[in-house]
Amino acid sequence: MTTKKQIHIGIFPVDVGHHIAAWRHPDVPAGGGSDVAFYKDIARTAERGKLDMLFLGDQMTAHYPEDESFGRTSRMTRLEPTTLLALLSGITSHLGLVGTASMSYFEPFHLARKFASLDVLTGGRAGWNMVTSFDDMEALNFNVGMVADPSLRYRKAHEFVDVVRRLWDTWDEDAFVRDKASGRFFDPAKLHLADFKGEYFSSRGPLGIPRSAQSHPVLIQAGSSDDGRAFAAAQAEVIFTAHPVLSEARKFYSELRERVGRAGRDPDHVKILPGSMTFIGRTREEAQEKYDLLQSLIDPQTGWMVIKKHLGVDISGLPLDEPMPAFKASATGQMSRQQVLIDAAARDKLTVRQFYERFVGSKGHQLAIGTASQVADEYEAWIDGEGADGFNLMLPSLPNALNDFVDLVVPELQRRGRFRLDYTGHTLRDNLGLPLPQHAHPASAAARRPKAADAPLRSS
Ligand SMILES: Cc1cc2nc3c(=O)[nH]c(=O)nc-3n(C[C@H](O)[C@H](O)[C@H](O)COP(=O)(O)O)c2cc1C
C-alpha cells in the first residue's frame, strides 16, 4: 500500500487574526493580541489539533506615523516573540514554537544564544524565522535610518547564519560527562570555539548552552526574491511563501527544490509551506457568510493602507471599475509579494475594485472558502500537484477560525490519511520529518544521546 504524502500545518497568529478587520468581529476579543490568556488558548488548540508548529512573525516597529488609517488598525502593538514562546512552552509539550528575529538589528551571538536557550527549554521544539527586515520603519528605531539594499542584506544574512551555526556547534553531543565521582563535568576536548572572522561579523565563542534534543533549532525563511531564494536554498529547512493559485505555487516549489539540490542539499529536507487563509463553514454558504461578514467590517482607509503596504503603491484614487494599470515591483519593500499581486491582476484582468476585494483580506496568500471537505480537496490538490508540503495557517480571525480548522478540517484530513492522528515524536524536527543537522565537528555526531534523556522536566 502506498502511503499518502502527509501535510504539515503551522499556525501563524498575528494579533487577533490576519484579516485587517478581525478585531471588529463580534466573536473576537478585541484586545487579544496583548493578552496572555488569548495566546495560551491558541497554543492549546493548536496542540489539540496536532499541528506541527506555532509561528510568530515580528517587526520591530509600530507603524508610526501612518496616513488617514492611523488609529484604525489593531496592528500597532505586538509582543516580543521569544519571550511569548518561552511562556507557551510551559503549557505545551509537542507543538513546535517558532519565532522571527532580524539579522539586521541583532548580532549573531545574540540570536544564537536566544534560540539555543529556547530550544533547550522546549525540549527541542524551537525554530528561528531568519528575516533580513525590509521596512524602513524598523531601521528608524536603530542606528541605521534606512534599510540596506536587499542584495547586501542577503549577503550579510548568509554570513550571519554561518556564525550562528558555528556557535550552535560549540559542544559535541557527549561533551557533558557530569561525573560526580571523578569531579569531571565536561570534556574540554569536546568544546569547539566558533573562531569566526568574516566580512561583516566576527565571534569567537564558545556558546554556553548545550545542544538540545533536536541538536539545534529549525531554520526557517520567508523571502521569495531571487536573493531570497538563493538564501533559502542554502540555509533554510522550512520556507514560508505566498501564492494565491496552485500554478504559481508549483513553479516556486519546483524551482526552489532544484536550487536546494544545486546547493548540495536534499530537497526533501526542506519543507515549503505557502500561507493559507481559510473560512470554514458546515456548508459553502455558511463559509461565504463568514467571509462576507469580515469583508463588510473593513474600514476603507485601513483597507487601502493594506493594499499600499503589499503592492508598494497607493491605488486608492484610481477609478474602481477600470482595469488595474500595469505596475512594476518597486526596488524596495517586499518585492516578491508585490510581484505576486501584480501577476494576479494581469492574469485575471482584475478591475481596481476586484483587486481590492480579493487581496485586502488574503494579501496574496491562498484563500480557501468552503466546507472542511472542500478545503481538504484544495489542500490535497496542492500537495499532490507538487505545489506545497503543507500550509502555514494565516487565519482570518482568532480564536474562532482556529477552532473551525481544528474541529472540522483536521478530522477530515485525518480521515483521508493526510494528517497525523497523534504526535509521533517530541521535537519540531520530528513533527516536520527533518533530519538532525550535520555537526561541524563530525566526530561528535556518533555520540548522540538517546532522545529520552533530552526530554525536559515539565510541570503541567
Ligand atoms: C509568510 C511570510 C511571513 C513573513 N514574516 C515576516 C516577519 O515576521 N518579519 C519580517 O521582517 N519579514 C517577514 N516576511 C518577509 C520576508 O522575510 C522578506 O523580508 C520579504 O519577503 C522580502 O524579501 P524578498 O523580497 O526576498 O521576498 C515574511 C514573508 C512571508 C512570505
Side-chain angles (χ1 to χ4, degrees), residues 177-186:
V177 287
R178 301 185 184 98
D179 183 353
K180 290 188 180 180
S182 70
R184 167 155 283 204
F185 195 78
F186 70 90

Side-chain angles (χ1 to χ4, degrees), residues 12 55-60 78 100-102 129-135 138 150 153-154 221-229 240-242 273-275 333-337 365 392 394:
F12 173 9
F55 162 76
L56 294 178
D58 195 33
Q59 278 193 286
M60 294 193 289
R78 173 197 298 270
T100 297
S102 172
N129 180 35
M130 312 172 285
V131 299
T132 61
S133 299
F134 58 87
D135 195 332
E138 294 182 274
R153 292 205 313 265
Y154 278 115
Q221 192 272 355
S224 292
S225 61
D226 195 50
D227 289 327
R229 291 178 196 213
F240 293 148
T241 174
L273 310 186
Q334 259 186 298
M335 291 177 299
S336 53
R337 184 73 59 83
H365 290 272
N392 197 21
M394 304 178 65

Side-chain angles (χ1 to χ4, degrees), residues 134 303-316 318 324-346 350-352 355-356 359-360 363-364:
F134 58 87
W304 289 116
M305 181 268 289
V306 169
I307 295 286
K308 180 179 160 195
K309 187 167 172 226
H310 289 92
L311 186 64
V313 282
D314 184 1
I315 57 166
S316 60
L318 296 179
M324 277 287 287
F327 287 112
K328 267 196 151 142
S330 66
T332 55
Q334 259 186 298
M335 291 177 299
S336 53
R337 184 73 59 83
Q338 292 169 16
Q339 200 59 54
V340 165
L341 300 188
I342 290 166
D343 291 348
L350 300 178
T351 63
V352 173
F355 182 86
Y356 174 92
F359 294 119
V360 70
K363 294 170 287 186

Side-chain angles (χ1 to χ4, degrees), residues 124-300:
R125 293 188 284 132
W128 169 34
N129 180 35
M130 312 172 285
V131 299
T132 61
S133 299
F134 58 87
D135 195 332
D136 282 337
M137 298 246 198
E138 294 182 274
L140 289 170
N141 290 333
F142 298 90
N143 281 322
V144 289
M146 264 180 75
V147 291
D149 82 82
S151 60
L152 174 61
R153 292 205 313 265
Y154 278 115
R155 273 208 309 283
K156 288 175 81 172
H158 278 283
E159 199 177 292
F160 194 112
V161 180
D162 289 344
V163 188
V164 168
R165 284 181 195 275
R166 287 190 72 86
L167 289 164
W168 282 343
D169 283 341
T170 294
W171 302 96
D172 285 0
E173 298 289 354
D174 57 348
F176 291 91
V177 287
R178 301 185 184 98
D179 183 353
K180 290 188 180 180
S182 70
R184 167 155 283 204
F185 195 78
F186 70 90
D187 180 351
K190 295 183 175 179
L191 176 155
H192 311 276
L193 292 180
D195 266 337
F196 192 99
K197 283 196 180 56
E199 200 180 340
Y200 307 104
F201 301 105
S202 63
S203 185
R204 189 199 66 169
L207 183 70
I209 299 170
R211 286 169 91 75
S212 76
Q214 62 171 356
S215 289
H216 61 66
V218 174
L219 292 173
I220 294 159
Q221 192 272 355
S224 292
S225 61
D226 195 50
D227 289 327
R229 291 178 196 213
F231 175 70
Q235 306 283 13
E237 299 174 279
V238 175
I239 298 171
F240 293 148
T241 174
H243 301 294
V245 289
L246 174 56
S247 55
E248 298 296 325
R250 286 177 62 119
K251 273 192 233 152
F252 181 85
Y253 188 84
S254 68
E255 204 250 346
L256 228 298
R257 284 173 61 88
E258 199 201 313
R259 279 188 193 240
V260 171
R262 272 192 271 129
R265 304 172 61 211
D266 182 342
D268 288 339
H269 294 171
V270 178
K271 306 295 172 192
I272 299 177
L273 310 186
S276 171
M277 178 177 272
T278 57
F279 290 83
I280 321 282
R282 285 171 205 277
T283 60
R284 172 78 173 88
E285 292 67 35
E286 189 185 274
Q288 186 66 40
E289 278 165 23
K290 290 182 182 180
Y291 176 71
D292 293 342
L293 171 63
L294 264 182
Q295 292 286 102
S296 74
L297 294 174
I298 298 172
D299 170 79

